[in-house]
């Protein structure tokens, strides 16, 4: 990787002239002994100079030197942002396990990767946005993320990123992070089961993609009978949306049963608590909480404390033990 001043001067004239042409990245994402198929730029005063050429090897001393110089950001060309994201995606497991990288930077990397995967999976404009290739990538990322999710400070940091997201898929990411937190408090859950549950949490509302958007823009109590029926069909539509994807059974359970309630007041089948799968109860509770802390056209975002109070008021609808676990997870992360 050329860092010599001469190389920088030679290439400075070819460097992007505007910050708008560039995308900022953390130097900590440049894992040692890896090559990136993108150019990296360093800000020097008002100009940008080439820091690393395409395909050059990163070494531990590069990160050390950047840290010594107090460099907090490098830049990739906007046109190479996707290549950089794929690089981080391919190396995410090592990034998340690297304790020398601050939790906030690892959370940011995780959020960027997960957002780009979810954006593709939930793209209304793609005929088969959710397919086996994309689902395999999602599972790989989740498998690598589970050890990282186990720490309270990670949940806090991730929650801040998720809360800022305004897109449909950010809700899925938020429910998935909370679900992982609650499931981690339950003993004897093996990794593949947790990956299945977390993927179901991420995809729980995928059926909404098949329905007209207006039915999700009004308060559920103000919908016409026809629109309510449409709205309440989204769990079943979600299962059919996933028909061509090899979704594990627990993920399908989360998609189909996440609106069923302990007292049998949910939908689509009014199943009572003793027949609702545990994972679907966790997703259903985290879904309710995430919806409450997110602003809607008909209500402002509630604080975590207010959201939990509202859920407690409807305690017959939620499993008491799981609700205690959610409160424990949020308080350990100092979110409430
Ligand atoms: Fe839903
Ligand atoms: Fe939801």
């Amino acid at each position: 990787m050329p860092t010599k001043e001469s190389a920088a001067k030679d290439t400075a004239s070819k460097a992007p002239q505007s910050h708008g042409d560039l995308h900022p990245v953390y130097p900590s994402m440049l894992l040692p002994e890896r090559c990136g198929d993108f150019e990296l730029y360093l800000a020097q005063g008002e100009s940008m100079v080439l820091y690393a050429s395409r395909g050059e090897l990163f070494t531990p001393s590069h990160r050390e030197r950047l840290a010594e110089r107090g460099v907090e950001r490098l830049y990739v060309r906007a046109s190479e942002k996707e290549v950089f994201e794929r690089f981080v995606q391919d190396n995410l497991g090592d990034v998340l396990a690297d304790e020398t990288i601050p939790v906030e930077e690892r959370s940011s990397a995780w959020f960027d990767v997960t957002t780009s995967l979810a954006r593709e999976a939930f793209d209304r404009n793609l005929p088969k946005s959710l397919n086996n290739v994309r689902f395999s990538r999602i599972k790989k990322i989740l498998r690598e993320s589970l050890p990282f999710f186990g720490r309270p400070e990670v949940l806090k940091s991730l929650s801040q990123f998720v809360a800022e997201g305004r897109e449909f898929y950010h809700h899925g990411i938020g429910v998935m992070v909370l679900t992982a937190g609650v499931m981690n408090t339950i003993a004897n859950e093996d990794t593949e089961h947790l990956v299945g549950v977390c993927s179901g949490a991420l995809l729980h509302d995928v059926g909404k993609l098949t329905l007209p958007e207006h039915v999700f823009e009004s308060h559920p109590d103000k919908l016409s009978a026809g629109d309510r029926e449409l709205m309440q069909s989204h769990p079943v539509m979600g299962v059919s949306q996933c028909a061509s994807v090899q979704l594990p059974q627990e993920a399908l359970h989360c998609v189909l049963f996440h609106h069923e309630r302990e007292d049998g007041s949910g939908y689509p089948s009014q199943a009572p608590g003793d027949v609702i799968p545990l994972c679907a109860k966790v997703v259903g509770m985290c879904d309710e909480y995430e919806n409450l802390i997110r602003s809607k056209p008909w209500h402002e975002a509630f604080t975590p404390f207010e959201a939990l109070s509202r859920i407690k008021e409807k305690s017959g609808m939620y499993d008491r033990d799981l609700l205690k676990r959610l409160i424990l997870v949020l308080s350990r992360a100092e979110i409430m």
Side-chain angles (χ1 to χ4, degrees), residues 281-310:
K281 295 184 188 188
V282 176
V283 172
M285 176 181 65
C286 295
D287 177 42
E288 179 73 8
Y289 172 82
E290 223 281 337
N291 273 321
L292 289 167
I293 59 166
R294 194 169 280 280
S295 67
K296 300 275 177 188
W298 59 90
H299 75 67
E300 293 287 307
F302 291 99
T303 66
F305 181 82
E306 290 167 342
L308 285 171
S309 299
R310 292 177 78 91

Side-chain angles (χ1 to χ4, degrees), residues 209-269:
L209 294 177
T210 65
L211 300 171
E213 290 180 53
H214 77 267
V215 301
F216 302 103
E217 286 166 358
S218 303
H219 191 291
D221 292 345
K222 303 242 167 91
L223 290 172
S224 67
D227 280 349
R228 183 176 301 111
E229 198 176 318
L230 264 183
M231 190 271 284
Q232 294 191 346
S233 71
H234 79 267
V236 174
M237 297 305 290
V239 171
S240 57
Q241 179 86 341
C242 296
S244 61
V245 182
Q246 288 167 337
L247 230 57
Q249 189 185 48
E250 51 270 23
L252 285 171
H253 282 164
C254 295
V255 174
L256 185 58
F257 296 121
H258 71 273
H259 283 290
E260 302 291 0
R261 296 292 178 254
E262 285 295 308
D263 57 6
S265 63
Y267 59 84
S269 62

Side-chain angles (χ1 to χ4, degrees), residues 3 7 17 33 35 39 57-58 83 89 111 118 126 134 152 170 183-184 189 206 225 228 253 256 267 272 291 331:
T3 53
Q17 296 301 305
E33 313 309 331
C35 300
E39 291 178 336
L57 189 70
F58 306 130
V83 180
Q89 188 177 315
F111 184 68
L126 294 176
R134 291 206 176 98
H170 288 129
M183 292 300 292
N184 268 332
E189 299 292 344
V206 71
R228 183 176 301 111
H253 282 164
L256 185 58
Y267 59 84
N291 273 321
S331 53

Side-chain angles (χ1 to χ4, degrees), residues 99-118:
E99 293 294 333
T100 68
I101 305 175
V103 164
E104 189 181 305
E105 290 183 24
R106 282 182 277 166
S107 298
S108 172
W110 182 88
F111 184 68
D112 285 349
V113 167
T114 310
T115 295
S116 70
L117 287 173

Side-chain angles (χ1 to χ4, degrees), residues 171 175 204-205 208 258-259 287 291:
H171 165 63
V175 174
H204 72 278
D205 275 337
K208 290 184 177 179
H258 71 273
H259 283 290
D287 177 42
N291 273 321

